[in-house]
Amino acid sequence: LMIWSTFTQSGYVQAVAHSDNGDIDGNWIHEKPLFDKDGGHGMIFDDFNGEKHLILHSPNENPLERPVLFSLKEENGTLVLA
C-alpha cells in the first residue's frame, strides 16, 4: 500500500493506492480518499500495540495547521478510517 495526495474541490486529500502486482513498479490503483477535508502531508504508521493510524495536519493553512490522528482498519484488502 502507498499513501497519495491530491487536490480536489474540498482541498488537499489523502488516499491509499495499491500495486496490482505487489511490486513497487506495478500499476498503482488509486482508491477513494481516506481523508477528504483539506488535510496535508499524511503518514500511515503502526503504534506500539500494532494498531494502524493515519496522521496528517488540518486545516492545510499556515499557521492554523494542527496534527490530526485517525485510527485505520483493513477491510477487503484496503484501509479505511475506523
Side-chain angles (χ1 to χ4, degrees), residues 2-6 15-20 27-33 78:
M2 171 180 67
I3 194 167
W4 63 275
S5 307
T6 191
V16 170
H18 67 274
S19 171
D20 66 350
N27 293 319
W28 287 90
I29 299 166
H30 295 165
E31 300 174 6
K32 68 179 186 170
T78 191

Side-chain angles (χ1 to χ4, degrees), residues 19-75:
S19 171
D20 66 350
N21 65 6
D23 291 334
I24 191 86
D25 63 351
N27 293 319
W28 287 90
I29 299 166
H30 295 165
E31 300 174 6
K32 68 179 186 170
L34 287 170
F35 184 84
D36 60 0
K37 298 175 185 146
D38 196 26
H41 305 293
M43 180 178 74
I44 294 174
F45 68 96
D46 292 332
D47 67 17
F48 292 120
N49 296 320
E51 303 287 326
K52 204 169 286 307
H53 301 279
L54 167 67
I55 190 166
L56 51 81
H57 63 79
S58 183
N60 195 21
E61 181 182 340
N62 188 17
L64 304 176
E65 299 103 336
R66 298 293 181 267
V68 183
L69 185 68
F70 299 94
S71 293
L72 297 175
K73 62 181 178 178
E74 283 193 57
E75 282 185 3

